[in-house]
Amino acid sequence: MQSIVLAVLFFLSALLYSSVGHGGASGYLAMMGLVGVEPSMMKPTALCLNILVSAIAFWRFYSAKNFSWQFFMPLAMTATPMAFLGGMTHLPSYFYKPIVGAVLIFSALYSFKSANKLTSEKALKPVSKWLLAVVGAILGLLSGLTGVGGGVFLSPILLFNHWANPKTVAGIAGGFILLNSISGLFGVLSTGAKLPSELPLWLGVALAGGFIGATYGSKRFADPMLNKLLAVVLLIAGVKMLANF
């Protein structure tokens, strides 16, 4: 029953997150935290689902010409090795749960605050490639440590500093999350971590949700109300993780 419930929740997470170019890892972590999945299984599962959904999101947004190599390359060059390092690092439950809880609460606040801003367009500001490289390194390490792709942090940084428009941010985030998730998963698996037997089912539903969400999001603006509902779920899961560590 837990596997079926998670399948439905993963479908909804993939649908919502892929509509803004994300892989959905913070959503998957939130759902697993709510139903009591073992922390040792949470990170590799979230990364696997993230790879699939972010690949779809990246493809859809890139095909719609919502992408910038100028932004992406400095971020990716430093994030990828740091994500591998983070994936190799095993955090004890009493460290992992509060970190993930904090990530989920941040994700909730970002989802709520950015709900209306996703449809706005403002004058863009220039940014140094060195600064992007530093941002990539920090987010890559955090990605590998927690099992998120880093897009939930990258998107607000790019949006709130007006470095790129919302559609381009979605495309950049999709590629950034994809590389981080692949690198982080290799790091996790190199330590002997196991994947759950239910993973094929979860990948299938995430594929469906990700395709629908990315197709819709790459052509239309995200629905602010959906982002606000997602924020509530993330907030509940984050508080639960912090309360149980």
Side-chain angles (χ1 to χ4, degrees), residues 14-15 17-21 53 56-58 60-61 209-219:
L15 179 71
Y17 275 91
S18 62
S19 69
V20 291
V53 177
I56 297 169
F58 172 67
R60 297 301 292 180
F61 280 90
F211 183 82
I212 296 170
T215 300
Y216 179 85
S218 63
K219 297 178 180 178

Coordinates of all heavy atoms in Angstrom, one line a residue, residues 14-15 17-21 53 56-58 60-61 209-219:
A14 N 6.2 15.0 -9.8 CA 6.8 15.2 -11.1 C 6.0 16.1 -12.0 O 6.6 16.9 -12.7 CB 6.9 13.8 -11.7
L15 N 4.7 16.0 -11.9 CA 3.9 16.9 -12.7 C 4.1 18.4 -12.4 O 4.3 19.2 -13.3 CB 2.4 16.5 -12.5 CG 1.3 17.3 -13.3 CD1 1.4 17.0 -14.8 CD2 -0.1 17.0 -12.7
Y17 N 6.6 19.9 -10.5 CA 7.9 20.4 -10.6 C 8.4 20.5 -12.0 O 9.1 21.5 -12.3 CB 8.9 19.5 -9.8 CG 9.0 19.8 -8.3 CD1 8.1 19.1 -7.4 CD2 9.9 20.7 -7.8 CE1 8.2 19.4 -6.0 CE2 10.0 21.0 -6.5 CZ 9.1 20.3 -5.6 OH 9.2 20.6 -4.3
S18 N 8.1 19.5 -12.8 CA 8.6 19.6 -14.2 C 8.0 20.8 -15.0 O 8.6 21.2 -16.0 CB 8.3 18.3 -14.9 OG 6.9 18.1 -15.0
S19 N 6.9 21.3 -14.5 CA 6.2 22.4 -15.2 C 7.1 23.7 -15.1 O 6.9 24.6 -15.8 CB 4.8 22.7 -14.7 OG 4.9 23.1 -13.3
V20 N 8.0 23.7 -14.1 CA 8.9 24.9 -14.0 C 10.4 24.4 -14.2 O 11.3 25.1 -13.7 CB 8.8 25.6 -12.6 CG1 7.4 26.3 -12.5 CG2 8.9 24.6 -11.4
G21 N 10.6 23.3 -14.8 CA 11.9 22.8 -15.2 C 12.7 22.1 -14.1 O 13.8 21.7 -14.3
V53 N 13.0 12.8 -14.5 CA 12.1 13.9 -14.7 C 12.8 15.2 -15.2 O 12.4 15.9 -16.0 CB 11.3 14.2 -13.4 CG1 10.4 15.4 -13.6 CG2 10.5 13.0 -13.0
I56 N 13.6 15.0 -18.9 CA 12.4 15.3 -19.7 C 12.2 16.9 -19.7 O 11.9 17.5 -20.7 CB 11.1 14.6 -19.1 CG1 11.3 13.1 -19.3 CG2 9.9 15.1 -19.9 CD1 10.2 12.4 -18.5
A57 N 12.3 17.4 -18.5 CA 12.1 18.9 -18.4 C 13.1 19.7 -19.2 O 12.8 20.6 -19.9 CB 12.1 19.3 -16.9
F58 N 14.4 19.2 -19.1 CA 15.4 19.9 -19.8 C 15.2 19.8 -21.3 O 15.3 20.8 -22.1 CB 16.8 19.3 -19.5 CG 17.9 19.7 -20.4 CD1 18.3 21.1 -20.3 CD2 18.5 18.9 -21.3 CE1 19.4 21.5 -21.1 CE2 19.6 19.3 -22.1 CZ 20.0 20.6 -22.0
R60 N 12.3 19.4 -23.0 CA 11.2 20.2 -23.4 C 11.5 21.7 -23.4 O 11.1 22.4 -24.4 CB 10.0 19.9 -22.5 CG 9.5 18.5 -22.5 CD 9.0 18.0 -23.9 NE 7.8 18.7 -24.4 CZ 7.3 18.5 -25.6 NH1 7.8 17.6 -26.4 NH2 6.2 19.2 -25.9
F61 N 12.1 22.1 -22.4 CA 12.5 23.6 -22.3 C 13.6 23.9 -23.3 O 13.5 25.0 -23.9 CB 12.9 24.0 -20.9 CG 11.7 24.2 -20.0 CD1 11.2 23.2 -19.2 CD2 11.1 25.4 -19.9 CE1 10.1 23.3 -18.4 CE2 10.0 25.7 -19.0 CZ 9.5 24.6 -18.3
G209 N 4.2 11.8 -15.2 CA 4.0 13.1 -14.7 C 4.9 14.1 -15.2 O 4.6 15.3 -15.5
G210 N 6.2 13.8 -15.3 CA 7.2 14.7 -15.8 C 6.9 15.1 -17.3 O 7.1 16.3 -17.6
F211 N 6.5 14.2 -18.1 CA 6.2 14.5 -19.5 C 5.1 15.5 -19.6 O 5.2 16.5 -20.4 CB 5.9 13.2 -20.3 CG 5.7 13.5 -21.8 CD1 6.8 13.6 -22.6 CD2 4.5 13.6 -22.3 CE1 6.6 13.8 -24.0 CE2 4.2 13.8 -23.6 CZ 5.3 13.9 -24.5
I212 N 4.0 15.2 -18.9 CA 2.8 16.1 -18.9 C 3.2 17.5 -18.4 O 2.9 18.5 -19.0 CB 1.7 15.5 -18.1 CG1 1.2 14.2 -18.7 CG2 0.5 16.5 -18.0 CD1 0.2 13.4 -17.9
G213 N 3.9 17.5 -17.3 CA 4.2 18.8 -16.6 C 5.1 19.6 -17.5 O 4.9 20.8 -17.7
A214 N 6.2 19.0 -18.0 CA 7.2 19.7 -18.8 C 6.6 20.2 -20.1 O 6.9 21.3 -20.6 CB 8.4 18.8 -19.0
T215 N 5.8 19.4 -20.7 CA 5.1 19.8 -22.0 C 4.3 21.0 -21.8 O 4.3 22.0 -22.5 CB 4.3 18.6 -22.6 OG1 5.1 17.5 -22.8 CG2 3.6 19.1 -23.9
Y216 N 3.5 21.0 -20.7 CA 2.6 22.1 -20.4 C 3.4 23.4 -20.0 O 3.2 24.5 -20.5 CB 1.7 21.8 -19.2 CG 0.8 22.9 -18.8 CD1 -0.4 23.1 -19.4 CD2 1.1 23.7 -17.7 CE1 -1.3 24.1 -19.0 CE2 0.3 24.7 -17.3 CZ -0.9 24.9 -18.0 OH -1.8 25.9 -17.6
G217 N 4.4 23.2 -19.1 CA 5.2 24.3 -18.6 C 6.1 25.0 -19.6 O 6.3 26.2 -19.5
S218 N 6.6 24.2 -20.6 CA 7.5 24.8 -21.6 C 6.7 25.7 -22.6 O 7.3 26.5 -23.3 CB 8.2 23.7 -22.3 OG 7.3 22.9 -23.1
K219 N 5.4 25.6 -22.6 CA 4.6 26.3 -23.5 C 3.7 27.4 -22.8 O 3.2 28.3 -23.4 CB 3.7 25.4 -24.3 CG 4.5 24.5 -25.2 CD 3.6 23.5 -26.0 CE 4.4 22.6 -26.9 NZ 3.6 21.6 -27.6

